[in-house]
Amino acid sequence: MAAGDGLLVRVRPQLGRLTREQMLGLCDAALAWGNGQIDMTNRANLQIRGVTEHGLEPLVAKLVALGLVDPDPAREARRAILVAPEWTVSDDTHRIAAELERRLSELPDLPGKVGFAIDAGPAPALHADPADFRIERGAEGGLILRADGRESGVALPPGSEVDALIALTKWFVATGGCDAGRMARHRAPLPGWANGSERPAPPPAGLTAGRHDLGAAQGLPFGRIDAETFRASDARAIRTTPWRIVLLEGVAHASNTNVHLPTDACVGAPACPQASVETRNLATRLAPLIAGRLHVSGCAKGCARAAPADVMLTGRGGRYDLAFDARADATPMLSGLSASQVLTYFGTV
Ligand code: SF4
């Protein structure tokens, strides 16, 4: 897609994992055809920015050769699958995500932002992350199917999970869900077979940067990876997450363990054409001054954070709106602030 800093190319790694060869190839591609940075999104996808029209074709050919982009655009468009990143081979998350990958062609055409969460570990790690159709651990210990926006789901017999997901997407389309755009906004009554009363299990403690059973969990400021630095990593594979942490398989030590993860900002101006304000420098300066979760959004779309933040700054007309415990599109408490007025408000100049 077009952005303010050139074309943006998105990669959706299968099972949220890149082999070492794929990781090195992606770094080479970002250096050759992008701006040398790789961005990890809140759907655990990877993005290369700053691509020219001229560079698009060889870049996509490289990504297809690496197995990072499906050669069939229709299949690629359906691969909006968020996978709980701490899966192990043959566990429920791995089994179900791999089956859904194999059966993508059975899905109907869905709106562009609609996606799946395969979250079948011991507790639902992706409970706060964006997805429309979820397979997750239920409070009774089995797996449940839950439509986003509904507090409870229906228990599933083992082995039926992908059948149920596909059936629910077909129901979504047949009942006008494409007009609503997202499952949470689609208020049609669920079919009886998908309308259960089992709640998800309590969420686990969040992943933190540092040592990890798989190797190391490395924090990424604003979810950004410098390709030159990253290709020097000796990780044998990497796993993406929606939380600005990347899992480095086989690595003994994590760097960047002190990244202030509660602080985040979308790319802002000038890289995004919708943004009227700079975001990341301001977020970095504010981070030590704010105890809770801070988000700086270049506009009310809030695409880097759909959920509320303790402190939300939103760009509008070249100034910042300030709100508390709010989403980017909330009614602000203060409007029209300059960056220096925001810094003054939080106690510095
Ligand atoms: S929130 Fe707005 S400014 Fe930020 S990346 Fe999304 S569209 Fe651009």
Side-chain angles (χ1 to χ4, degrees):
M1 67 186 80
D5 52 354
L7 297 172
L8 180 159
V9 173
R10 182 172 298 147
V11 169
R12 295 163 159 170
Q14 285 190 24
L15 301 171
R17 183 175 187 267
L18 286 83
T19 63
R20 180 169 181 78
E21 185 196 359
Q22 289 174 322
M23 177 188 89
L24 295 177
L26 187 70
C27 290
D28 290 345
L31 290 164
W33 295 294
N35 63 5
Q37 309 284 325
I38 300 166
D39 292 302
M40 196 165 67
T41 74
N42 63 350
R43 291 184 179 224
N45 295 321
L46 297 169
Q47 295 181 164
I48 296 177
R49 306 187 70 104
V51 179
T52 63
E53 297 279 352
H54 188 64
L56 183 62
E57 194 177 321
L59 169 59
V60 173
K62 170 91 174 175
L63 296 174
V64 169
L66 287 166
L68 287 171
V69 168
D70 198 296
D72 175 356
R75 273 182 57 85
E76 179 64 34
R78 292 175 171 158
R79 289 187 42 244
I81 308 171
L82 184 54
V83 178
E86 295 174 278
W87 53 266
T88 54
V89 174
S90 299
D91 73 1
D92 285 334
T93 297
H94 179 256
R95 171 180 63 79
I96 297 165
E99 183 181 344
L100 183 56
E101 285 272 358
R102 285 195 301 275
R103 298 179 60 186
L104 286 174
S105 59
E106 297 178 44
L107 293 170
D109 289 336
L110 295 164
K113 290 199 180 299
V114 168
F116 304 87
I118 308 301
D119 195 11
L126 303 173
H127 67 104
D129 300 304
D132 296 82
F133 307 105
R134 299 169 182 274
I135 300 289
E136 60 194 359
R137 188 63 56 187
E140 305 297 320
L143 292 176
I144 62 171
L145 167 70
R146 185 166 66 87
D148 200 41
R150 283 30 173 207
E151 289 185 353
S152 55
V154 64
L156 295 172
S160 69
E161 300 90 354
V162 176
D163 289 338
L165 272 179
I166 292 171
L168 195 55
T169 59
K170 290 181 175 171
W171 164 85
F172 176 81
V173 170
T175 54
C178 296
D179 295 333
R182 300 297 304 268
M183 184 60 233
R185 294 198 292 260
H186 186 40
R187 301 319 301 175
L190 287 167
W193 58 265
N195 192 11
S197 57
E198 187 167 343
R199 291 184 170 252
L207 183 66
T208 52
R211 291 280 301 139
H212 188 273
D213 288 349
L214 289 166
Q218 179 168 321
L220 303 174
F222 304 120
R224 180 157 273 198
I225 301 167
D226 176 66
E228 197 71 75
T229 311
F230 213 59
R231 68 190 318 291
S233 162
D234 54 1
R236 60 170 179 253
I238 68 165
R239 297 193 192 189
T240 59
T241 79
W243 314 306
R244 286 171 291 125
I245 289 178
V246 65
L247 290 173
L248 306 173
E249 293 188 22
V251 168
H253 300 288
S255 54
N256 273 346
T257 53
N258 60 351
V259 173
H260 194 253
L261 291 168
T263 296
D264 199 13
C266 74
V267 69
C272 176
Q274 273 87 46
S276 65
V277 294
E278 190 285 328
T279 51
R280 290 183 172 171
N281 286 335
L282 180 60
T284 303
R285 294 183 69 187
L286 285 170
L289 307 172
I290 292 172
R293 183 169 288 280
L294 163 68
H295 191 83
V296 184
S297 183
C299 77
K301 203 167 156 193
C303 47
R305 182 169 179 83
D310 298 310
V311 176
M312 178 64 78
L313 286 158
T314 304
R316 190 163 53 85
R319 313 284 278 194
Y320 297 89
D321 286 348
L322 172 62
F324 293 95
D325 190 20
R327 293 162 39 108
D329 59 358
T331 304
M333 193 192 82
L334 290 173
S335 297
L337 302 173
S338 66
S340 62
Q341 285 173 321
V342 171
L343 289 162
T344 302
Y345 182 91
F346 286 102
T348 187
V349 290

